[in-house]
Amino acid sequence: MRKTHSSLVLLLAAALCLLIGPTIASEAESNFNDDDDGVVEAVQDDTPALATDENGEELVYESPKYDPKQFHFVDHFDDIEKSQKLWVKSQAKKDDIAEEIAKYDGVWSWEAPQRIVWKNDIGLVLKSKAKHAAIASKLLKPFTFKEDKPLIVQYEVTLQEGQECGGAYIKLLSANKATDDLTKFNDKTPYTIMFGPDKCGNDIKMHFIFRHVNPINGSITEKHCKKPKDRLEEPFKDKLPHLYTLIVRPDNTFEIRVDHNIINEGSLLSEFTPPVNPPREIDDPEDKKPEDWDEREKIPDPTAQKPEDWDDDAPPQIPDPSAVMPDDWLEEEPEMIPDPSAQKPDDWDVDMDGEWEAPLVDNPVCEKVSGCGKWKAPLIANKEYKGKWRAPMIDNPNYRGKWSPRKIPNPDFFEDLTPFKMTPIGAVGIELWSMSNEILFDNIIITDDLDVAIDYAAKTFDLKRKYIDKESDTFLNKVMTYGKDNPWSWRIALVLIVTPLAFFFYRLMSGKKDTTATDKKTDAVQPDDKPSENKEDSTEESSPKTKKSDLEVKEGADAADNEEDSGKDSTEDVDGGASEEKETEETTSNKPRKRRVRKDAS
Ligand SMILES: *[C@@H]1O[C@H](CO)[C@@H](O)[C@H](O)[C@H]1NC(C)=O
């Protein structure tokens, strides 16, 4: 209650500041801008904002021209016909699950992003959710790891609907018979590397897994890269394009970059679990701890004796033997008595409610004296108290240290010092199961030249992000300029936003009072079934939720705003007035209505 109150005050204070603030600021600004009015006019232009680069050149996308010789694989998906010839949709079935969910029937589509930046910038979109989906393409030329050149894998993902649970990783399929027929591509198809983001709930991963071939017997083990230092949350939330780059070098080092920033790096030999190379020695499984092996470092002194006068049972506290009962102590008088002013209620039913008894109250007689009832001496510390006797600990003469089995050479030992030399890659595949749809893949490339990858990103991803950043800048500019030229618009906007919020908080507070009042009333009639029901119906009002921090409540409001106005809306709605109107309408009409429903229910 207190918190809600103070947050209301804070809100109103903030509203006042904001109402007065812009007036001063805008006056100062308009004085400042008097000379170059023209600049302001220009930004105010009603034609839609086009993002431009530093030199004022409009940012325009063209499908990158490239020399295919520089790539092992490259697809920008813009040439739909050509791209669709490259990719093969899987018609496989998972063999280890129920028939009805076993099919790879996820839907793939070549289309522009939902948030269109350029109509001609097409991506490969996983349209369906909660379905197995798999699609793959042969490389232009296999990547064999034989040359002294790095492997660079780079691609772009936009989680257009965010992601709660699901991956957006790709698999570099090993070149062999299993990858000849890509219509059979499934989760068991052997891959050499799996790379990319994955998330389920709070578990966020940036996979880099490679499958290592045991040089002794040819068995294959997945090696998982250590976790990056930082949690990678943004790509799963912001619905923007992100660029993932994996670099694996002939010197067995690797690097993972997200949006060009290195987020993980290290050595194939040391940063993977299980390690590529098994230990040289292992514990001898035959070796057993001898019966008489004494691992106790200290033992109780066997020669020590309990002193004669040691009493294990002496209590830590005893009644003070020197204390005496005060003269005015009334031992015959009870401490509590039945309330003489209490009256049996009229509707008391002895059959139903049992014999009526007045509630007990403090005996007023005792207030005027030292005390009533049986007198007890106060407790004091017992000088005789020693606790349970224990022999002092001494070094164990038979102590032989902690036992561990002897080491023997590991029969499975091998040493692969060039794990970079992996199984050749013949195809690239996407094999997913996701709880979110509309996952857009774009600009998938595999090359052995980092400069080529960086240059390709500059013509695609970098340009797109630049556009998106500029575009949101421009939107902000527009809003600011509008506010500057029409200072009243700020105040109206704020009144329209703050008033309903304040009203909402006010209802929250008074709503709380209402419920407690009804609680009491109803309690008398049907004491049993009320509270739990009430909690479900009016989560926001019931006392546990009222304790939620102000922040949380505000966040909630923000989130609601965002959901309505974010993304497309905020960029298209350049006219501030329209969105304001929409917002108020929703806030004022929604909240009281919800309240009413809840009241009826309780
Ligand atoms: C190969 O050796 C590893 C131990 O290094 C062992 O775990 C595995 O079972 C062996 N596989 C085969 C197919 O023999």
Side-chain angles (χ1 to χ4, degrees):
M1 278 300 281
R2 249 236 194 102
K3 267 189 182 164
T4 333
H5 203 107
S6 58
S7 70
L8 177 63
V9 172
L10 262 174
L11 247 167
L12 289 172
L16 261 175
C17 286
L18 284 165
L19 287 178
I20 298 163
T23 329
I24 301 162
S26 65
E27 260 155 30
E29 294 260 8
S30 61
N31 287 341
F32 185 74
N33 279 338
D34 264 355
D35 308 313
D36 43 25
D37 246 15
V39 181
V40 182
E41 294 292 338
V43 190
Q44 251 190 298
D45 191 4
D46 270 356
T47 53
L50 283 173
T52 51
D53 67 8
E54 299 77 19
N55 307 321
E57 295 278 321
E58 192 187 323
L59 292 170
V60 179
Y61 171 78
E62 268 177 61
S63 307
K65 309 226 173 357
Y66 55 86
D67 175 4
K69 281 206 241 31
Q70 292 181 315
F71 295 87
H72 290 261
F73 183 81
V74 53
D75 195 1
H76 48 56
F77 300 95
D78 299 344
D79 186 340
I80 298 179
E81 209 173 308
K82 193 172 152 203
S83 177
Q84 283 179 339
K85 279 192 193 120
L86 285 177
W87 292 88
V88 178
K89 288 181 201 178
S90 168
Q91 284 149 34
K93 274 186 184 181
K94 277 175 92 101
D95 54 10
D96 49 2
I97 49 169
E99 181 77 12
E100 59 278 13
I101 52 166
K103 261 169 88 180
Y104 280 90
D105 54 358
V107 180
W108 298 94
S109 163
W110 276 252
E111 59 185 48
Q114 289 175 354
R115 175 185 187 155
I116 293 179
V117 175
W118 299 288
K119 279 201 198 75
N120 58 334
D121 182 14
I122 307 296
L124 173 64
V125 182
L126 176 58
K127 301 295 287 177
S128 49
K129 65 175 165 191
K131 281 177 186 294
H132 295 285
I135 193 163
S137 168
K138 288 248 158 67
L139 300 196
L140 304 177
K141 57 183 173 201
F143 195 97
T144 59
F145 298 96
K146 294 219 168 69
E147 288 171 78
D148 201 25
K149 286 182 175 169
L151 165 73
I152 291 120
V153 185
Q154 181 169 279
Y155 69 105
E156 224 181 282
V157 174
T158 312
L159 295 165
Q160 301 185 100
E161 296 291 341
Q163 183 60 279
E164 264 318 301
C165 189
Y169 43 82
I170 62 175
K171 286 177 172 179
L172 307 182
L173 306 179
S174 304
N176 57 27
K177 276 208 202 72
T179 50
D180 270 355
D181 181 2
L182 292 176
T183 59
K184 300 214 169 71
F185 177 31
N186 65 64
D187 59 325
K188 305 251 164 32
T189 307
Y191 65 87
T192 300
I193 284 176
M194 179 174 139
F195 168 62
D198 194 8
K199 175 191 172 185
C200 204
N202 271 330
D203 189 13
I204 289 177
K205 291 196 181 105
M206 185 65 206
H207 292 293
F208 168 27
I209 303 170
F210 69 95
R211 288 170 85 243
H212 182 253
V213 181
N214 179 328
I216 296 175
N217 65 10
S219 71
I220 292 174
T221 343
E222 281 180 7
K223 309 293 178 187
H224 294 246
C225 134
K226 66 163 188 202
K227 286 204 149 205
K229 285 162 255 81
D230 299 317
R231 233 172 109 82
L232 201 71
E233 274 183 271
E234 278 311 300
F236 298 99
K237 289 195 301 206
D238 64 12
K239 303 179 182 179
L240 294 176
H242 288 278
L243 185 73
Y244 301 94
T245 312
L246 171 69
I247 304 160
V248 194
R249 302 191 191 90
D251 68 357
N252 304 304
T253 59
F254 74 94
E255 219 172 86
I256 295 171
R257 302 182 183 183
V258 175
D259 302 340
H260 299 297
N261 303 311
I262 299 172
I263 62 142
N264 202 355
E265 60 187 325
S267 161
L268 300 180
L269 286 162
S270 53
E271 256 87 29
F272 286 73
T273 40
V276 170
N277 291 307
R280 231 171 251 278
E281 290 187 315
I282 55 164
D283 291 346
D284 182 356
E286 303 296 314
D287 197 11
K288 296 261 148 37
K289 183 162 101 174
E291 294 277 308
D292 62 347
W293 190 282
D294 198 339
E295 281 185 329
R296 294 171 305 159
E297 203 174 335
K298 300 261 182 190
I299 52 164
D301 183 354
T303 65
Q305 289 245 317
K306 181 157 112 174
E308 291 281 308
D309 62 346
W310 189 290
D311 179 2
D312 278 345
D313 302 323
Q317 285 192 314
I318 50 166
D320 184 355
S322 66
V324 285
M325 185 172 89
D327 287 339
D328 62 345
W329 192 278
L330 303 172
E331 276 203 296
E332 302 301 320
E333 198 66 43
E335 283 178 83
M336 305 282 283
I337 54 163
D339 185 353
S341 65
Q343 293 217 328
K344 184 161 103 174
D346 290 341
D347 59 351
W348 189 271
D349 182 342
V350 179
D351 290 339
M352 290 273 290
D353 309 321
E355 207 56 55
W356 184 79
E357 278 172 27
L360 293 179
V361 293
D362 287 337
N363 187 346
V365 177
C366 304
E367 279 165 27
K368 301 179 188 85
V369 295
S370 298
C372 294
K374 180 139 182 58
W375 180 82
K376 290 193 202 102
L379 293 178
I380 55 162
N382 181 5
K383 284 201 207 72
E384 299 303 307
Y385 172 71
K386 292 200 175 81
K388 188 141 182 61
W389 183 82
R390 277 175 230 275
M393 300 299 278
I394 56 160
D395 288 341
N396 179 3
N398 298 322
Y399 176 58
R400 293 175 69 185
K402 191 114 194 79
W403 183 85
S404 56
R406 86 173 143 259
K407 295 280 182 188
I408 55 162
N410 181 358
D412 297 324
F413 179 73
F414 62 79
E415 193 168 37
D416 177 1
L417 294 176
T418 54
F420 171 74
K421 299 211 175 300
M422 300 180 193
T423 312
I425 299 164
V428 55
I430 308 173
E431 192 263 318
L432 296 177
W433 186 91
S434 159
M435 274 315 290
S436 299
N437 52 353
E438 304 291 343
I439 301 176
L440 181 136
F441 292 84
D442 203 356
N443 299 310
I444 303 180
I445 63 167
I446 299 171
T447 172
D448 54 20
D449 186 342
L450 185 57
D451 290 337
V452 167
I454 289 172
D455 180 57
Y456 199 89
K459 291 175 187 154
T460 54
F461 173 78
D462 298 354
L463 190 68
K464 200 180 309 179
R465 282 306 293 255
K466 205 184 272 176
Y467 188 105
I468 291 169
D469 293 347
K470 289 270 175 183
E471 192 191 37
S472 32
D473 270 6
T474 317
F475 171 67
L476 263 180
N477 272 339
K478 286 237 162 190
V479 173
M480 298 293 276
T481 320
Y482 186 77
K484 233 188 278 168
D485 287 1
N486 310 282
W488 45 267
S489 71
W490 279 108
R491 270 162 281 172
I492 290 184
L494 279 157
V495 170
L496 291 180
I497 293 165
V498 171
T499 315
L501 259 176
F503 180 68
F504 173 68
F505 274 98
Y506 173 74
R507 292 308 294 249
L508 235 152
M509 284 168 57
S510 51
K512 166 76 170 99
K513 273 179 218 146
D514 283 350
T515 19
T516 23
T518 20
D519 269 353
K520 269 184 199 139
K521 222 196 294 164
T522 11
D523 256 344
V525 190
Q526 21 171 232
D528 279 333
D529 48 11
K530 186 75 211 321
S532 60
E533 248 185 38
N534 188 35
K535 245 173 232 158
E536 286 222 354
D537 287 340
S538 56
T539 5
E540 276 162 70
E541 291 166 339
S542 64
S543 45
K545 289 285 172 142
T546 330
K547 283 197 198 114
K548 273 178 129 191
S549 72
D550 303 337
L551 188 74
E552 233 171 310
V553 178
K554 261 183 239 151
E555 255 173 27
D558 278 351
D561 287 351
N562 279 345
E563 243 159 24
E564 278 151 19
D565 285 339
S566 74
K568 295 174 274 179
D569 278 3
S570 60
T571 45
E572 281 158 14
D573 250 352
V574 184
D575 178 357
S579 61
E580 278 152 25
E581 247 170 52
K582 194 175 92 195
E583 197 160 44
T584 11
E585 201 179 275
E586 263 156 22
T587 9
T588 39
S589 64
N590 256 346
K591 304 239 151 106
R593 201 184 305 143
K594 257 193 229 150
R595 256 292 299 166
R596 227 173 289 134
V597 172
R598 269 185 239 125
K599 216 175 184 179
D600 292 345
S602 64

